[in-house]
Amino acid sequence: MIDIMQTKLLKKPFIISVIGAGGKTTCIERIAESVCRQGKRAAVVTTTHMWIPERHSAAGKPWEEAIQQLKEERMVYYGLKAESKGKMIFPGQEAYQAICSAADVVLVEADGAKEKPIKFPDWSREPVIPENTDRIILVAGLSALGRPLGEVCHRWELCRALLDKEESTKGKLNKITMPEFVDKEFLLFLLHYGYLRELKLRFPKLMPVVLLNQADDERKRMDGKWIRTKLGESGIICRVVQCRLP
């Protein structure tokens, strides 16, 4: 799926924070399965909210039990149980550090999107990226293309607020208008001004990898490749993928 698991890139533990929208959990599962196939141990946690899977879950258990399960199964999902039924949250700093010390790779679901394929983040709230992160993966769902913005974009109102501010100050974005339907140009704008610009400021030493997920037909693949080319001109690594579980 993506060349993030090359041995030369790994230290122990290697922390991967996954942000954005449009298939974060599935991408995490795919990467975790890949880690296990290599005979290594993968732990999955969240700093926001995450659905508890049917397999490999130690949610709500003491972290000592989670570590034992990780040793036996080579994979574990761990966190405190949330008030929302079926979800888990961050396990706390002590437990997080303990899990990190026992795993080869730790995958952190570090963002929420209310199950929508794209998002314009509110950085005062999320994503919540751990300081010990080694790689940031930004996911966006190509299924948003051609659909109404308000239907597919979590917190799209923040994007409108940014553009309104730029228009009032005659900033460099004042020629950009909010589309009724999401197109490839707007998705590129959202990635740059919603995420990549802020990531560069907060994590200047970490080059994010963008996954354009849900490339389910030729039109989406072509639009994804166009976005990939544009991001590549800025030095951003981008992949057009279909993250699906078997």
Side-chain angles (χ1 to χ4, degrees):
M1 179 177 65
I2 186 170
D3 54 353
I4 60 170
M5 296 313 303
Q6 296 176 7
T7 303
K8 66 180 182 180
L9 293 179
L10 291 179
K11 66 176 183 63
K12 181 180 177 178
F14 191 77
I15 314 299
I16 303 172
S17 290
V18 183
I19 62 175
K24 296 187 302 298
T25 301
T26 304
C27 289
I28 286 171
E29 292 182 55
R30 288 284 300 275
I31 296 171
E33 293 284 356
S34 175
V35 171
C36 287
R37 285 194 296 270
Q38 297 178 38
K40 298 175 182 178
R41 296 171 179 170
V44 180
V45 300
T46 181
T47 54
T48 55
H49 289 74
M50 184 179 191
W51 288 107
I52 300 172
E54 294 183 0
R55 298 188 304 145
H56 306 297
S57 171
K61 297 179 181 179
W63 59 260
E64 294 89 349
E65 293 185 26
I67 289 176
Q68 184 60 37
Q69 184 171 331
L70 176 61
K71 292 177 179 178
E72 294 172 356
E73 301 180 15
R74 293 207 304 273
M75 187 189 301
V76 71
Y77 285 70
Y78 186 61
L80 300 176
K81 287 190 175 180
E83 292 182 3
S84 302
K85 187 176 180 180
K87 289 191 174 184
M88 66 180 189
I89 58 175
F90 186 62
Q93 193 62 33
E94 179 184 6
Y96 173 70
Q97 293 297 335
I99 291 292
C100 285
S101 68
D104 295 297
V105 177
V106 179
L107 294 146
V108 184
E109 184 163 302
D111 207 355
K114 301 295 185 182
E115 300 185 7
K116 294 187 177 182
I118 56 176
K119 173 182 176 177
F120 199 92
D122 177 357
W123 281 89
S124 68
R125 301 168 59 187
E126 55 187 22
V128 184
I129 301 172
E131 293 182 359
N132 63 341
T133 295
D134 297 297
R135 173 63 55 84
I136 296 173
I137 298 178
L138 170 57
V139 182
L142 293 172
S143 66
L145 294 171
R147 296 168 62 189
L149 176 63
E151 176 183 304
V152 298
C153 184
H154 183 42
R155 298 202 177 114
W156 64 270
E157 299 92 343
L158 297 177
C159 181
R160 179 182 295 279
L162 172 65
L163 293 177
D164 288 346
K165 179 180 178 181
E166 287 284 326
E167 182 177 5
S168 65
T169 59
K170 302 301 179 182
K172 62 182 179 180
L173 300 180
N174 66 333
K175 294 182 179 180
I176 297 175
T177 58
M178 290 284 287
E180 182 179 355
F181 297 91
V182 176
D183 55 23
K184 61 185 179 181
E185 290 83 3
F186 180 77
L187 183 50
L188 177 63
F189 162 80
L190 184 148
L191 291 169
H192 263 302
Y193 288 94
Y195 281 98
L196 296 173
R197 182 174 64 169
E198 193 68 26
L199 286 172
K200 186 175 181 179
L201 294 174
R202 294 175 182 244
F203 300 92
K205 295 182 180 181
L206 293 182
M207 176 68 71
V209 175
V210 176
L211 289 188
L212 297 176
N213 190 26
Q214 302 169 344
D216 298 332
D217 57 46
E218 185 60 24
R219 176 61 184 272
K220 291 183 178 66
R221 286 191 289 272
M222 292 299 295
D223 285 349
K225 290 177 180 178
W226 180 87
I227 296 171
R228 182 182 66 190
T229 298
K230 293 296 183 181
L231 291 175
E233 293 172 358
S234 301
I236 301 297
I237 299 171
C238 179
R239 300 287 185 267
V240 181
V241 300
Q242 290 175 286
C243 289
R244 290 179 176 175
L245 292 175

